[in-house]
Amino acid sequence: MKPRLPLIVLAVAVLARSAYADALDEVRRLDSEIAVATWSGDAEWFEENLTDDYMLITPGGTIRTKRDVIRELATPGLKMEPYEPHDVNIPLYGHAAVVTGRMLQRF
């Protein structure tokens, strides 16, 4: 009887890589959606898709919570031009992801 441990380890590694790729794809999709929701002022998207402990760190280092972002989107007269994030990096840490990148946004 041949040892099956290498096959089991390989199967677990393949499944883990697949789950990692799926999670990364999901975070990329959400990152793209959040860009559109931000410049279009879609507060409902933020309400439905972000956890209550969501944090946004602005270029100036200010921390914005989910509630802060939703409140700011409701500011009368706030207008933003569409933008596309670039140089996006998404490391996954267990059940958490940290999305970093660059964008040029005009108000």
Side-chain angles (χ1 to χ4, degrees):
M1 182 173 193
K2 290 185 176 181
R4 294 189 180 186
L5 184 58
L7 287 177
I8 292 171
V9 170
L10 178 62
V12 169
V14 168
L15 290 174
R17 183 156 177 86
S18 176
Y20 179 87
D22 290 347
L24 195 55
D25 287 345
E26 178 73 3
V27 174
R28 280 192 180 115
R29 181 186 63 77
L30 289 169
D31 185 52
S32 178
E33 286 181 10
I34 200 171
V36 174
T38 299
W39 59 259
S40 66
D42 187 355
E44 185 176 326
W45 186 94
F46 284 87
E47 201 59 65
E48 292 174 359
N49 290 282
L50 299 181
T51 61
D52 290 334
D53 61 352
Y54 168 82
M55 286 191 300
L56 167 70
I57 302 173
T58 68
T62 304
I63 296 175
R64 299 277 195 267
T65 66
K66 175 181 174 178
R67 292 284 146 235
D68 294 335
V69 171
I70 291 171
R71 185 175 40 256
E72 289 171 7
L73 287 174
T75 302
L78 179 66
K79 292 263 187 194
M80 291 181 236
E81 292 182 17
Y83 65 89
E84 186 70 32
H86 57 94
D87 298 333
V88 175
N89 184 33
I90 309 172
L92 298 177
Y93 302 99
H95 295 287
V98 177
V99 180
T100 60
R102 300 175 57 86
M103 68 176 182
L104 177 61
Q105 185 176 22
R106 293 185 171 92
F107 293 87

XYZ file of all heavy atoms in Angstrom:
844
model
N 0.841 -1.175 0.000
C 0.000 0.000 0.000
C 0.892 1.248 0.000
O 1.762 1.389 0.842
C -0.898 -0.035 1.232
C -1.841 1.091 1.313
S -2.933 0.757 2.718
C -4.147 1.935 2.412
N 0.640 2.172 -0.935
C 1.427 3.382 -1.046
C 0.858 4.450 -0.112
O -0.351 4.541 0.089
C 1.382 3.910 -2.473
C 2.137 3.048 -3.451
C 2.135 3.717 -4.797
C 2.963 2.918 -5.770
N 3.015 3.527 -7.081
N 1.746 5.277 0.407
C 1.260 6.368 1.264
C 0.437 7.361 0.436
O 0.806 7.715 -0.667
C 2.531 7.011 1.795
C 3.681 6.243 1.276
C 3.188 5.231 0.318
N -0.662 7.811 0.991
C -1.542 8.755 0.294
C -1.402 10.171 0.831
O -2.062 11.076 0.355
C -2.982 8.296 0.415
C -3.185 7.009 -0.330
C -4.606 6.664 -0.415
N -4.698 5.397 -1.145
C -5.809 4.860 -1.494
N -6.932 5.436 -1.195
N -5.810 3.733 -2.159
N -0.546 10.346 1.798
C -0.381 11.666 2.396
C -0.001 12.726 1.366
O -0.586 13.809 1.366
C 0.645 11.617 3.535
C 0.828 12.918 4.302
C -0.484 13.376 4.909
C 1.880 12.748 5.364
N 0.944 12.472 0.446
C 1.274 13.505 -0.550
C 0.065 13.920 -1.394
O -0.089 15.091 -1.709
C 2.355 12.863 -1.411
C 2.992 11.848 -0.521
C 1.868 11.339 0.347
N -0.792 12.958 -1.743
C -1.987 13.296 -2.523
C -2.969 14.117 -1.709
O -3.585 15.054 -2.220
C -2.666 12.022 -3.028
C -1.948 11.305 -4.165
C -2.682 10.025 -4.518
C -1.828 12.195 -5.374
N -3.110 13.786 -0.436
C -4.012 14.541 0.430
C -3.482 15.958 0.614
O -4.226 16.938 0.517
C -4.185 13.824 1.783
C -4.944 12.515 1.573
C -4.919 14.712 2.775
C -4.985 11.617 2.780
N -2.186 16.090 0.840
C -1.577 17.417 0.999
C -1.759 18.224 -0.283
O -2.094 19.406 -0.243
C -0.086 17.291 1.388
C 0.612 18.637 1.304
C 0.048 16.695 2.774
N -1.543 17.599 -1.433
C -1.720 18.273 -2.712
C -3.168 18.723 -2.888
O -3.435 19.848 -3.309
C -1.290 17.369 -3.859
C -1.464 17.952 -5.264
C -0.613 19.206 -5.432
C -1.110 16.925 -6.310
N -4.116 17.862 -2.566
C -5.537 18.197 -2.700
C -5.903 19.374 -1.800
O -6.606 20.291 -2.218
C -6.404 16.984 -2.367
N -5.412 19.365 -0.574
C -5.683 20.469 0.358
C -5.061 21.758 -0.175
O -5.674 22.826 -0.137
C -5.169 20.134 1.772
C -5.200 21.359 2.668
C -5.996 19.008 2.379
N -3.850 21.681 -0.700
C -3.175 22.860 -1.250
C -3.942 23.433 -2.437
O -4.098 24.652 -2.565
C -1.743 22.520 -1.646
N -4.442 22.559 -3.306
C -5.213 23.012 -4.470
C -6.508 23.675 -4.022
O -6.883 24.739 -4.522
C -5.486 21.835 -5.433
C -6.525 22.201 -6.478
C -4.187 21.396 -6.100
N -7.199 23.072 -3.079
C -8.445 23.649 -2.573
C -8.194 24.991 -1.888
O -8.949 25.936 -2.058
C -9.139 22.678 -1.623
C -9.737 21.438 -2.270
C -10.264 20.486 -1.202
C -10.832 21.810 -3.250
N -7.132 25.073 -1.104
C -6.798 26.321 -0.410
C -6.477 27.416 -1.424
O -6.912 28.560 -1.285
C -5.627 26.109 0.541
N -5.715 27.065 -2.454
C -5.368 28.053 -3.496
C -6.622 28.513 -4.222
O -6.775 29.685 -4.535
C -4.361 27.457 -4.461
C -3.895 28.422 -5.513
C -2.540 28.020 -6.048
N -2.104 28.872 -7.100
C -1.456 30.017 -6.919
N -1.187 30.440 -5.714
N -1.065 30.738 -7.949
N -7.534 27.599 -4.489
C -8.785 27.938 -5.159
C -9.622 28.873 -4.289
O -10.181 29.856 -4.778
C -9.563 26.669 -5.477
O -10.812 26.984 -6.032
N -9.715 28.572 -3.001
C -10.471 29.423 -2.079
C -9.832 30.803 -1.993
O -10.525 31.823 -1.962
C -10.542 28.776 -0.699
N -8.493 30.856 -1.970
C -7.770 32.126 -1.926
C -8.068 32.941 -3.184
O -8.367 34.133 -3.114
C -6.266 31.868 -1.800
C -5.426 33.112 -1.781
C -5.180 33.774 -0.591
C -4.876 33.627 -2.957
C -4.408 34.929 -0.554
C -4.110 34.777 -2.936
C -3.881 35.426 -1.737
O -3.124 36.566 -1.721
N -8.018 32.299 -4.342
C -8.295 32.980 -5.610
C -9.730 33.497 -5.648
O -9.981 34.614 -6.096
C -8.027 32.043 -6.786
N -10.679 32.693 -5.149
C -12.078 33.125 -5.106
C -12.240 34.341 -4.198
O -12.944 35.287 -4.539
C -12.979 31.995 -4.622
C -13.114 30.875 -5.640
O -12.727 31.060 -6.804
O -13.602 29.787 -5.247
N -11.598 34.306 -3.030
C -11.684 35.432 -2.094
C -11.064 36.686 -2.699
O -11.613 37.782 -2.585
C -11.002 35.072 -0.778
N -9.940 36.529 -3.354
C -9.271 37.660 -3.989
C -10.140 38.249 -5.103
O -10.275 39.475 -5.208
C -7.918 37.209 -4.536
C -6.929 38.291 -4.915
C -6.673 39.238 -3.761
C -5.629 37.657 -5.377
N -10.761 37.405 -5.907
C -11.672 37.879 -6.954
C -12.846 38.651 -6.357
O -13.267 39.677 -6.894
C -12.204 36.710 -7.792
C -11.162 36.130 -8.727
O -10.110 36.786 -8.943
O -11.386 35.010 -9.232
N -13.380 38.155 -5.246
C -14.503 38.823 -4.581
C -14.086 40.202 -4.060
O -14.814 41.182 -4.221
C -15.026 37.955 -3.430
C -16.148 38.569 -2.634
C -17.480 38.600 -3.364
O -17.573 38.083 -4.493
O -18.429 39.165 -2.809
N -12.918 40.296 -3.465
C -12.440 41.584 -2.956
C -12.179 42.544 -4.123
O -12.518 43.724 -4.041
C -11.181 41.415 -2.077
C -10.600 42.774 -1.684
C -11.511 40.609 -0.825
N -11.620 42.051 -5.211
C -11.411 42.906 -6.398
C -12.743 43.435 -6.939
O -12.864 44.598 -7.319
C -10.686 42.124 -7.487
C -9.218 42.033 -7.266
C -8.509 41.508 -8.517
N -7.103 41.432 -8.254
C -6.398 40.305 -8.213
N -6.986 39.154 -8.442
N -5.118 40.330 -7.948
N -13.740 42.564 -6.984
C -15.069 42.979 -7.460
C -15.636 44.066 -6.557
O -16.119 45.099 -7.022
C -16.024 41.780 -7.503
C -17.431 42.143 -8.021
C -18.394 40.976 -7.907
N -18.633 40.556 -6.536
C -19.428 41.192 -5.669
N -20.052 42.303 -6.018
N -19.604 40.728 -4.450
N -15.543 43.847 -5.250
C -16.058 44.840 -4.300
C -15.291 46.149 -4.391
O -15.877 47.236 -4.291
C -16.004 44.286 -2.873
C -17.011 43.184 -2.568
C -16.690 42.530 -1.226
C -18.426 43.726 -2.592
N -13.981 46.078 -4.611
C -13.184 47.297 -4.747
C -13.621 48.098 -5.970
O -13.717 49.326 -5.923
C -11.695 46.950 -4.833
C -10.823 48.182 -4.846
O -10.979 49.038 -3.940
O -9.984 48.314 -5.762
N -13.918 47.411 -7.053
C -14.405 48.083 -8.254
C -15.784 48.700 -8.007
O -16.047 49.843 -8.388
C -14.477 47.079 -9.402
O -14.979 47.679 -10.555
N -16.643 47.956 -7.331
C -17.987 48.456 -7.029
C -17.956 49.647 -6.080
O -18.754 50.572 -6.222
C -18.846 47.345 -6.430
C -19.289 46.314 -7.432
C -20.171 45.238 -6.806
O -20.600 45.385 -5.638
O -20.437 44.238 -7.501
N -17.054 49.628 -5.109
C -17.003 50.731 -4.146
C -16.569 52.025 -4.828
O -17.019 53.107 -4.460
C -16.115 50.403 -2.928
C -16.458 51.320 -1.755
C -14.637 50.535 -3.261
C -15.789 50.927 -0.451
N -15.717 51.908 -5.853
C -15.318 53.100 -6.605
C -16.541 53.718 -7.276
O -16.773 54.934 -7.163
C -14.252 52.746 -7.634
N -17.338 52.900 -7.939
C -18.540 53.400 -8.614
C -19.538 53.936 -7.590
O -20.120 55.015 -7.775
C -19.178 52.302 -9.486
C -20.506 52.772 -10.065
C -18.221 51.886 -10.594
N -19.736 53.223 -6.491
C -20.671 53.671 -5.454
C -20.231 55.002 -4.854
O -21.068 55.845 -4.524
C -20.790 52.609 -4.358
N -18.932 55.208 -4.735
C -18.422 56.458 -4.168
C -18.714 57.627 -5.094
O -19.332 58.614 -4.690
C -16.902 56.362 -3.911
O -16.663 55.312 -2.974
C -16.359 57.650 -3.342
N -18.260 57.548 -6.351
C -18.448 58.713 -7.215
C -19.879 58.909 -7.670
O -20.263 59.995 -8.070
C -17.463 58.762 -8.382
C -17.425 57.632 -9.353
C -16.516 56.619 -9.379
C -18.294 57.401 -10.455
N -16.765 55.767 -10.428
C -17.856 56.227 -11.106
C -19.407 58.064 -10.969
C -18.495 55.709 -12.231
C -20.046 57.542 -12.089
C -19.575 56.384 -12.695
N -20.701 57.864 -7.572
C -22.113 58.031 -7.936
C -22.975 58.375 -6.715
O -24.165 58.621 -6.854
C -22.646 56.765 -8.621
O -22.667 55.678 -7.711
N -22.358 58.388 -5.518
C -23.094 58.755 -4.306
C -24.107 57.719 -3.864
O -25.142 58.054 -3.292
N -23.822 56.451 -4.098
C -24.748 55.358 -3.794
C -24.597 54.899 -2.343
O -23.953 53.894 -2.053
C -24.492 54.205 -4.763
C -25.500 53.079 -4.646
O -26.367 53.132 -3.747
O -25.417 52.140 -5.454
N -25.211 55.625 -1.424
C -25.125 55.296 0.000
C -25.719 53.918 0.291
O -25.253 53.211 1.197
C -25.836 56.358 0.828
N -26.719 53.510 -0.471
C -27.345 52.200 -0.262
C -26.335 51.067 -0.478
O -26.341 50.072 0.242
C -28.530 52.032 -1.211
C -29.309 50.764 -0.974
C -30.542 50.679 -1.866
O -31.149 51.721 -2.152
O -30.889 49.550 -2.259
N -25.439 51.221 -1.467
C -24.417 50.194 -1.707
C -23.548 50.030 -0.464
O -23.252 48.920 -0.040
C -23.553 50.545 -2.917
C -22.601 49.444 -3.249
C -22.799 48.439 -4.140
C -21.316 49.196 -2.652
N -21.716 47.580 -4.137
C -20.801 48.030 -3.232
C -20.563 49.839 -1.690
C -19.562 47.493 -2.894
C -19.327 49.321 -1.336
C -18.838 48.158 -1.937
N -23.144 51.147 0.136
C -22.311 51.094 1.341
C -23.062 50.415 2.480
O -22.501 49.613 3.217
C -21.884 52.505 1.765
C -20.790 53.065 0.915
C -21.074 53.737 -0.254
C -19.463 52.912 1.277
C -20.067 54.244 -1.054
C -18.447 53.411 0.492
C -18.742 54.081 -0.678
N -24.332 50.747 2.615
C -25.156 50.159 3.673
C -25.247 48.646 3.518
O -25.139 47.901 4.490
C -26.548 50.795 3.599
C -27.380 50.717 4.833
C -26.770 51.367 6.058
O -26.582 52.578 6.097
O -26.488 50.603 7.009
N -25.399 48.169 2.292
C -25.604 46.745 2.038
C -24.313 45.925 1.978
O -24.335 44.733 2.241
C -26.356 46.561 0.719
C -27.780 47.059 0.757
C -28.463 46.999 -0.601
O -27.821 46.591 -1.597
O -29.645 47.374 -0.669
N -23.199 46.532 1.619
C -21.995 45.752 1.322
C -20.840 45.900 2.300
O -19.897 45.108 2.238
C -21.492 46.090 -0.086
C -22.416 45.568 -1.144
O -22.395 44.385 -1.456
N -23.260 46.433 -1.679
N -20.869 46.878 3.159
C -19.766 47.072 4.088
C -20.153 46.659 5.501
O -21.290 46.866 5.923
C -19.326 48.541 4.101
C -18.822 49.098 2.773
C -18.414 50.553 2.954
C -17.667 48.284 2.232
N -19.208 46.080 6.197
C -19.453 45.731 7.591
C -19.418 46.998 8.438
O -18.895 48.030 8.020
C -18.388 44.748 8.117
O -17.111 45.376 8.034
C -18.402 43.452 7.321
N -19.995 46.917 9.609
C -20.032 48.093 10.482
C -18.653 48.528 10.950
O -18.467 49.682 11.329
C -20.943 47.828 11.692
C -22.408 47.759 11.285
O -22.769 48.373 10.250
O -23.191 47.091 11.982
N -17.659 47.635 10.903
C -16.306 48.011 11.327
C -15.419 48.456 10.162
O -14.212 48.599 10.300
C -15.639 46.891 12.118
C -15.477 45.603 11.321
O -16.008 45.518 10.194
O -14.826 44.687 11.827
N -16.025 48.717 8.983
C -15.283 49.209 7.816
C -14.549 50.494 8.170
O -15.077 51.354 8.877
C -16.265 49.475 6.670
C -15.677 50.252 5.520
C -14.924 49.627 4.544
C -15.878 51.625 5.414
C -14.377 50.340 3.478
C -15.334 52.342 4.349
C -14.594 51.700 3.402
O -14.063 52.415 2.367
N -13.329 50.626 7.670
C -12.554 51.850 7.856
C -11.928 52.267 6.532
O -11.404 51.429 5.806
C -11.426 51.647 8.864
C -11.874 51.572 10.293
S -10.487 51.648 11.442
C -9.549 50.216 10.961
N -11.987 53.549 6.260
C -11.320 54.140 5.114
C -10.271 55.095 5.671
O -10.581 55.918 6.537
C -12.322 54.921 4.257
C -11.737 55.850 3.197
C -11.101 55.034 2.073
C -12.805 56.772 2.644
N -9.050 54.980 5.203
C -8.007 55.911 5.610
C -7.738 56.806 4.409
O -7.327 56.338 3.344
C -6.729 55.183 6.065
C -7.077 54.247 7.229
C -5.651 56.196 6.461
C -5.941 53.351 7.667
N -7.982 58.095 4.581
C -7.835 59.052 3.483
C -6.358 59.336 3.228
O -5.506 59.017 4.064
C -8.545 60.371 3.832
O -7.840 61.008 4.904
C -10.005 60.143 4.219
N -6.050 59.953 2.090
C -4.650 60.311 1.813
C -4.032 61.198 2.902
O -2.833 61.156 3.132
C -4.724 61.051 0.479
C -5.933 60.489 -0.185
C -6.909 60.231 0.941
N -4.857 61.957 3.590
C -4.363 62.811 4.669
C -4.233 62.089 6.000
O -3.846 62.677 6.997
N -4.587 60.793 6.025
C -4.457 60.004 7.233
C -5.686 59.998 8.126
O -5.681 59.402 9.196
N -6.762 60.647 7.702
C -7.995 60.672 8.471
C -8.721 59.339 8.320
O -8.816 58.805 7.212
C -8.919 61.804 7.988
O -8.201 63.040 8.055
C -10.176 61.900 8.827
N -9.234 58.826 9.421
C -9.992 57.572 9.384
C -11.471 57.885 9.269
O -12.007 58.704 10.022
C -9.719 56.731 10.650
C -8.247 56.322 10.682
C -10.637 55.507 10.688
C -7.839 55.600 11.952
N -12.117 57.248 8.303
C -13.551 57.392 8.106
C -14.218 56.037 8.341
O -13.785 55.030 7.807
C -13.870 57.831 6.674
C -13.285 59.152 6.271
C -14.189 60.290 6.760
N -13.863 61.527 6.097
C -13.015 62.415 6.581
N -12.385 62.204 7.699
N -12.795 63.535 5.931
N -15.279 56.043 9.126
C -16.052 54.822 9.369
C -17.117 54.682 8.290
O -17.333 55.595 7.479
C -16.750 54.878 10.737
O -17.736 55.932 10.708
C -15.773 55.109 11.872
N -17.799 53.569 8.307
C -18.903 53.346 7.374
C -19.929 54.469 7.512
O -20.383 55.037 6.521
C -19.547 51.988 7.674
C -20.778 51.684 6.856
C -21.355 50.334 7.254
C -22.656 50.033 6.573
N -23.169 48.706 6.926
N -20.300 54.814 8.734
C -21.282 55.879 8.977
C -20.783 57.223 8.456
O -21.542 57.997 7.883
C -21.603 56.001 10.474
C -22.329 54.832 11.024
C -23.811 54.834 10.616
N -24.229 53.460 10.442
C -24.784 52.958 9.347
N -25.027 53.699 8.316
N -25.122 51.708 9.265
N -19.495 57.522 8.668
C -18.909 58.777 8.166
C -19.051 58.863 6.654
O -19.444 59.904 6.113
C -17.420 58.884 8.523
C -17.148 59.000 10.009
O -18.025 59.467 10.767
O -16.026 58.617 10.421
N -18.701 57.772 5.966
C -18.748 57.764 4.503
C -20.176 57.958 4.017
O -20.437 58.770 3.123
C -18.139 56.461 3.932
C -18.372 56.355 2.438
C -16.656 56.379 4.257
N -21.117 57.248 4.607
C -22.522 57.369 4.201
C -23.014 58.793 4.443
O -23.685 59.377 3.586
C -23.393 56.324 4.926
C -23.045 54.923 4.406
C -24.877 56.624 4.751
C -23.666 53.786 5.190
N -22.668 59.380 5.580
C -23.062 60.748 5.900
C -22.460 61.735 4.878
O -23.133 62.634 4.402
C -22.634 61.103 7.323
C -23.103 62.450 7.805
C -22.788 62.754 9.276
N -21.480 62.312 9.727
C -21.256 61.238 10.493
N -22.259 60.495 10.898
N -20.029 60.909 10.860
N -21.190 61.540 4.536
C -20.536 62.433 3.583
C -21.137 62.316 2.184
O -21.217 63.303 1.455
C -19.032 62.168 3.555
C -18.351 62.640 4.816
C -16.904 62.204 4.922
O -16.356 61.642 3.951
O -16.314 62.425 5.987
N -21.550 61.110 1.807
C -22.176 60.935 0.491
C -23.505 61.683 0.396
O -23.938 62.048 -0.689
C -22.396 59.449 0.193
C -21.148 58.645 -0.127
C -21.489 57.173 -0.258
C -20.477 59.146 -1.402
N -24.142 61.901 1.539
C -25.430 62.599 1.565
C -25.273 64.118 1.606
O -26.265 64.836 1.628
C -26.242 62.126 2.778
N -24.034 64.614 1.587
C -23.795 66.056 1.624
C -24.396 66.706 0.384
O -24.048 66.335 -0.740
C -22.275 66.357 1.682
O -21.726 65.722 2.826
C -22.012 67.846 1.728
N -25.294 67.673 0.586
C -25.904 68.340 -0.575
C -24.831 69.006 -1.453
O -23.915 69.651 -0.955
C -26.815 69.392 0.053
C -27.052 68.926 1.453
C -25.810 68.179 1.847
N -24.973 68.816 -2.743
C -24.071 69.455 -3.686
C -22.741 68.756 -3.892
O -21.919 69.205 -4.683
N -22.492 67.661 -3.181
C -21.233 66.932 -3.354
C -21.213 66.278 -4.729
O -22.102 65.514 -5.072
C -21.060 65.871 -2.265
C -19.792 65.024 -2.351
C -18.557 65.893 -2.107
C -19.839 63.884 -1.356
N -20.228 66.608 -5.518
C -20.083 66.029 -6.853
C -18.680 65.480 -6.997
O -17.711 66.100 -6.584
C -20.288 67.108 -7.925
C -21.684 67.633 -8.012
C -22.390 66.924 -9.109
C -23.752 67.587 -9.314
N -24.607 66.799 -10.094
N -18.580 64.296 -7.572
C -17.282 63.676 -7.837
C -17.243 63.203 -9.273
O -18.253 62.750 -9.802
C -17.061 62.468 -6.928
C -16.870 62.774 -5.491
S -16.608 61.237 -4.587
C -17.908 61.378 -3.391
N -16.073 63.281 -9.860
C -15.878 62.729 -11.194
C -15.555 61.242 -11.050
O -14.964 60.827 -10.055
C -14.732 63.443 -11.902
C -15.035 64.877 -12.250
C -13.887 65.531 -12.992
O -13.012 64.812 -13.521
O -13.865 66.768 -13.038
N -15.925 60.447 -12.053
C -15.552 59.028 -12.016
C -14.034 58.863 -11.916
O -13.285 59.702 -12.409
C -16.063 58.487 -13.347
C -17.142 59.427 -13.755
C -16.717 60.776 -13.231
N -13.622 57.817 -11.264
C -12.196 57.517 -11.150
C -12.004 56.013 -11.223
O -12.923 55.243 -10.981
C -11.593 58.071 -9.862
C -12.139 57.429 -8.602
C -11.541 56.295 -8.068
C -13.258 57.935 -7.964
C -12.044 55.698 -6.925
C -13.757 57.343 -6.822
C -13.150 56.228 -6.309
O -13.650 55.629 -5.178
N -10.800 55.628 -11.549
C -10.447 54.211 -11.629
C -9.206 53.989 -10.767
O -8.167 54.600 -11.011
C -10.155 53.829 -13.076
C -9.927 52.348 -13.284
C -11.187 51.524 -13.107
O -12.281 52.000 -13.413
O -11.058 50.366 -12.648
N -9.311 53.154 -9.739
C -8.124 52.862 -8.926
C -7.051 52.152 -9.763
O -7.365 51.434 -10.705
C -8.649 51.918 -7.844
C -10.128 52.049 -7.872
C -10.494 52.462 -9.262
N -5.798 52.375 -9.420
C -4.709 51.666 -10.089
C -3.634 51.330 -9.070
O -3.669 51.806 -7.940
C -4.161 52.463 -11.279
C -3.681 53.835 -10.921
N -2.386 54.103 -10.618
C -4.343 55.005 -10.803
C -2.260 55.388 -10.335
N -3.427 55.951 -10.437
N -2.704 50.505 -9.460
C -1.659 50.007 -8.551
C -2.283 49.390 -7.297
O -1.805 49.586 -6.183
C -0.689 51.117 -8.150
C 0.061 51.695 -9.330
O 0.237 50.957 -10.321
O 0.461 52.865 -9.274
N -3.373 48.654 -7.493
C -4.106 48.059 -6.364
C -3.371 46.811 -5.867
O -2.960 45.969 -6.659
C -5.552 47.722 -6.771
C -6.284 47.005 -5.644
C -6.298 48.986 -7.176
N -3.221 46.724 -4.569
C -2.605 45.568 -3.917
C -3.585 45.058 -2.863
O -4.108 45.853 -2.069
C -1.272 45.970 -3.280
C -0.559 44.785 -2.688
O -0.649 43.674 -3.194
N 0.155 45.023 -1.607
N -3.831 43.741 -2.859
C -4.822 43.176 -1.935
C -4.256 41.949 -1.235
O -4.490 40.822 -1.668
C -6.130 42.803 -2.662
C -6.648 43.975 -3.489
C -7.193 42.347 -1.654
C -7.824 43.634 -4.378
N -3.522 42.137 -0.150
C -3.118 40.962 0.622
C -4.297 40.478 1.469
O -5.078 41.275 1.982
C -1.971 41.476 1.493
C -2.198 42.939 1.602
C -2.923 43.364 0.355
N -4.432 39.168 1.565
C -5.469 38.571 2.410
C -4.829 38.041 3.680
O -3.761 37.429 3.641
C -6.172 37.428 1.669
C -6.921 37.803 0.396
C -7.493 36.554 -0.260
C -8.026 38.790 0.693
N -5.497 38.294 4.789
C -5.027 37.831 6.094
C -6.159 37.040 6.742
O -6.997 37.609 7.436
C -4.639 39.014 6.987
C -3.572 39.898 6.376
C -3.909 41.088 5.737
C -2.236 39.528 6.438
C -2.926 41.895 5.183
C -1.251 40.329 5.886
C -1.606 41.502 5.258
O -0.631 42.292 4.703
N -6.206 35.749 6.456
C -7.299 34.940 6.989
C -8.617 35.406 6.403
O -8.833 35.349 5.202
N -9.495 35.936 7.249
C -10.808 36.409 6.804
C -10.841 37.916 6.593
O -11.920 38.508 6.556
C -11.881 36.005 7.810
C -12.066 34.529 7.909
N -12.679 33.798 6.916
C -11.689 33.638 8.842
C -12.676 32.523 7.255
N -12.084 32.395 8.423
N -9.679 38.538 6.474
C -9.604 39.989 6.286
C -8.725 40.310 5.085
O -7.830 39.554 4.738
C -9.038 40.649 7.538
N -9.009 41.443 4.472
C -8.204 41.923 3.345
C -7.897 43.390 3.584
O -8.698 44.122 4.161
C -8.956 41.760 2.036
N -6.738 43.807 3.128
C -6.362 45.208 3.176
C -6.117 45.634 1.732
O -5.234 45.112 1.060
C -5.092 45.436 4.028
C -4.682 46.894 3.994
C -5.317 44.963 5.459
N -6.936 46.562 1.262
C -6.824 47.035 -0.119
C -6.085 48.357 -0.116
O -6.490 49.298 0.551
C -8.216 47.212 -0.761
C -8.087 47.716 -2.199
C -9.011 45.920 -0.696
N -4.976 48.410 -0.842
C -4.240 49.651 -0.998
C -4.091 49.925 -2.484
O -4.144 49.009 -3.306
C -2.838 49.589 -0.348
O -2.086 48.536 -0.963
C -2.934 49.340 1.149
N -3.932 51.175 -2.816
C -3.765 51.528 -4.217
C -3.718 53.027 -4.385
O -3.635 53.778 -3.403
N -3.780 53.449 -5.610
C -3.709 54.870 -5.937
C -4.926 55.241 -6.784
O -5.458 54.406 -7.506
C -2.432 55.170 -6.705
C -1.183 54.815 -5.918
C 0.058 55.013 -6.740
N 0.216 56.341 -7.257
C 0.790 57.369 -6.608
N 1.274 57.173 -5.413
N 0.890 58.548 -7.166
N -5.328 56.504 -6.681
C -6.389 57.014 -7.535
C -6.260 58.526 -7.595
O -5.693 59.147 -6.698
C -7.767 56.640 -7.001
C -8.135 57.303 -5.721
S -9.803 56.872 -5.288
C -9.980 57.832 -3.807
N -6.766 59.085 -8.645
C -6.856 60.523 -8.787
C -8.335 60.844 -8.804
O -9.072 60.356 -9.660
C -6.183 60.991 -10.077
C -6.280 62.480 -10.365
C -5.615 63.292 -9.247
C -5.653 62.805 -11.708
N -8.763 61.629 -7.834
C -10.183 61.918 -7.702
C -10.367 63.415 -7.647
O -9.679 64.112 -6.905
C -10.745 61.259 -6.443
C -12.228 61.396 -6.282
C -12.739 60.646 -5.071
O -11.995 60.367 -4.142
N -14.002 60.327 -5.073
N -11.316 63.917 -8.440
C -11.623 65.342 -8.448
C -13.037 65.534 -7.921
O -13.943 64.784 -8.248
C -11.516 65.887 -9.865
C -10.099 65.877 -10.386
C -10.024 66.549 -11.753
N -8.655 66.733 -12.153
C -7.970 65.868 -12.880
N -8.535 64.760 -13.290
N -6.725 66.108 -13.222
N -13.187 66.572 -7.113
C -14.506 66.913 -6.560
C -15.022 68.160 -7.233
O -14.303 69.001 -7.654
C -14.408 67.154 -5.062
C -14.057 65.916 -4.289
C -12.739 65.551 -4.099
C -15.051 65.135 -3.763
C -12.412 64.420 -3.379
C -14.724 63.996 -3.041
C -13.405 63.641 -2.849
